[in-house]
Amino acid sequence: MSEVAKVIPLRGESARAPRGGGRGVRLERSDPTLLFPQTSAPAAQPSASGSVADQVRDAARNLLADQVVATADFLRRRITGDYQVDDFGYDPHFAENVWLPLLRPVFESWFRVEVRGIENVPNEGGALVVANHAGVIPIDGLMTSVAMFDHHPAHRPLRMLAADMAFEMPVVGTVARKAGHTLACNPDAERLLRGGEVAAVFPEGFKGIGKPFSERYKLQRFGRGGFVSAALRAGVPIVPCSIVGSEEIYPKIGELKSLARLLGLPYFPVTPLFPHFGPLGMIPLPSKWYIEFGEPIRTDTYDVADAEDPMVMFELTDHVRETIQQTLYRLLAQRRNVFMG
């Protein structure tokens, strides 16, 4: 990497300059027409007498020219190292220009995700989003990250806390780091939250995404409340998040345990289409999704010592779990059709 590239510490650390009003990191894209003045074609001015076909052709030509300029600017910044990476490996330039654009068509056109309550996530400062987990493959986490960045007024990145397996897989682990995600452990969680980031955790883990279709939308155990401890220590609010639609993308009707053990996987699912139809069976069903962020649960009213109290952890964890479960029931009651919403 060129010397122009900088590794920056998290927000709140002394070595880092404050960013716009304490909000999440966003790199300002430079005007591509200033970087490549000879490449960008001037916008066509169709005459009143011009045909519709001519106007469509001019619009397509201008769009193509803009895409060429944007691509050239992106490649220039990657080659010269003109982008920033934080201590966790988060690369905002990559996330905003490559990763999120890849996910948006799935978010907007395939699952047609409807986002509610996004205003409950604070515009600045740390917050911990806690959500239900389902779908055989953790696509729900990816869709939640798009919902946060695209629909939140401050366009905040969602820093997911993922299982070790995600970072042990080639390519997947590298992309996950560049997208801003890290290990689901208390030290990393606390550091992100104290640094003013919005982190997300899915306490059900593999028990949630791997549960059979017959148990859909029934929350599994939330573990020992480690996420609550991290939020209490950092003094940040907990935002319950309920996701409807993810349970239907891969209806799990069975699993091949021997094959899962052979491959070192927590489970090997069997769905109505997979593995019977091969790669075609891996295409998720186009269910209609709803992602609702609930009212934040404050933690700054607790003492730091409460993070070590098992009863406090149990009560707060159960409160978060019950809030998500009741919201799921409400959203399901309002839904008329799995695919039409």
Side-chain angles (χ1 to χ4, degrees):
M1 181 181 298
S2 168
E3 293 182 355
V4 183
K6 304 177 180 62
V7 177
I8 58 174
L10 284 174
R11 185 161 51 250
E13 297 185 8
S14 59
R16 182 172 185 169
R19 297 180 296 193
R23 290 164 55 172
V25 63
R26 292 200 67 203
L27 298 180
E28 296 296 331
R29 299 187 181 90
S30 58
D31 185 352
T33 60
L34 297 178
L35 295 170
F36 299 91
Q38 302 301 323
T39 309
S40 179
Q45 301 295 333
S47 63
S49 60
S51 67
V52 175
D54 290 339
Q55 295 180 23
V56 172
R57 194 159 41 246
D58 290 340
R61 187 180 299 113
N62 291 334
L63 178 61
L64 178 60
D66 290 341
Q67 290 176 340
V68 170
V69 172
T71 301
D73 180 48
F74 173 80
L75 293 175
R76 178 195 64 80
R77 294 185 64 178
R78 300 309 293 184
I79 293 173
T80 61
D82 185 16
Y83 57 92
Q84 298 174 324
V85 178
D86 74 5
D87 294 343
F88 289 92
Y90 174 43
D91 183 345
H93 186 242
F94 169 84
E96 294 181 24
N97 292 278
V98 177
W99 186 235
L100 290 174
L102 286 175
L103 298 177
R104 283 192 185 107
V106 181
F107 180 94
E108 297 171 355
S109 302
W110 192 252
F111 295 134
R112 296 146 290 136
V113 183
E114 184 175 321
V115 181
R116 301 174 178 178
I118 193 69
E119 67 278 0
N120 288 317
V121 180
N123 288 338
E124 57 184 32
L128 181 64
V129 174
V130 182
N132 58 301
H133 212 16
V136 175
I137 297 177
I139 297 177
D140 49 5
L142 303 179
M143 297 299 102
T144 306
S145 66
V146 178
M148 180 65 66
F149 190 86
D150 286 2
H151 291 263
H152 195 278
H155 301 289
R156 305 198 67 179
L158 187 65
R159 312 291 294 272
M160 286 187 290
L161 304 172
D164 298 4
M165 179 179 292
F167 301 97
E168 294 170 355
M169 299 173 65
V171 181
V172 174
T174 301
V175 172
R177 287 288 186 187
K178 287 182 175 293
H181 314 315
T182 188
L183 292 173
C185 62
N186 272 21
D188 281 5
E190 289 182 34
R191 192 172 175 211
L192 282 172
L193 296 174
R194 291 182 187 277
E197 302 289 350
V198 179
V201 64
F202 300 84
E204 293 177 279
F206 290 121
K207 300 188 301 295
I209 59 175
K211 64 177 177 286
F213 189 65
S214 59
E215 298 180 13
R216 59 192 179 280
Y217 298 113
K218 295 178 181 178
L219 294 184
Q220 304 298 300
R221 185 172 174 269
F222 265 24
R224 301 179 180 178
F227 69 92
V228 171
S229 174
L232 285 179
R233 293 178 185 278
V236 301
I238 299 173
V239 181
C241 178
S242 304
I243 305 171
V244 165
S246 58
E247 297 273 18
E248 291 85 11
I249 61 175
Y250 295 114
K252 182 185 171 187
I253 58 177
E255 62 178 291
L256 303 176
K257 295 183 179 180
S258 57
L259 186 55
R261 287 194 296 269
L262 179 64
L263 298 176
L265 301 173
Y267 54 84
F268 190 92
V270 175
T271 74
L273 301 178
F274 181 82
H276 311 86
F277 289 87
L280 289 177
M282 299 179 66
I283 300 175
L285 297 178
S287 57
K288 167 70 175 178
W289 284 40
Y290 298 90
I291 299 180
E292 180 167 326
F293 297 89
E295 293 187 6
I297 300 171
R298 295 182 57 185
T299 63
D300 55 1
T301 57
Y302 292 87
D303 295 329
V304 177
D306 290 333
E308 305 294 337
D309 190 332
M311 288 305 299
V312 174
M313 293 297 98
F314 174 80
E315 291 176 2
L316 195 49
T317 300
D318 190 60
H319 176 45
V320 175
R321 184 181 182 277
E322 187 63 23
T323 300
I324 296 173
Q325 184 69 82
Q326 293 304 317
T327 304
L328 288 174
Y329 287 150
R330 175 172 54 80
L331 292 173
L332 289 170
Q334 296 172 355
R335 186 175 67 167
R336 293 172 296 178
N337 184 278
V338 171
F339 299 104
M340 302 304 296

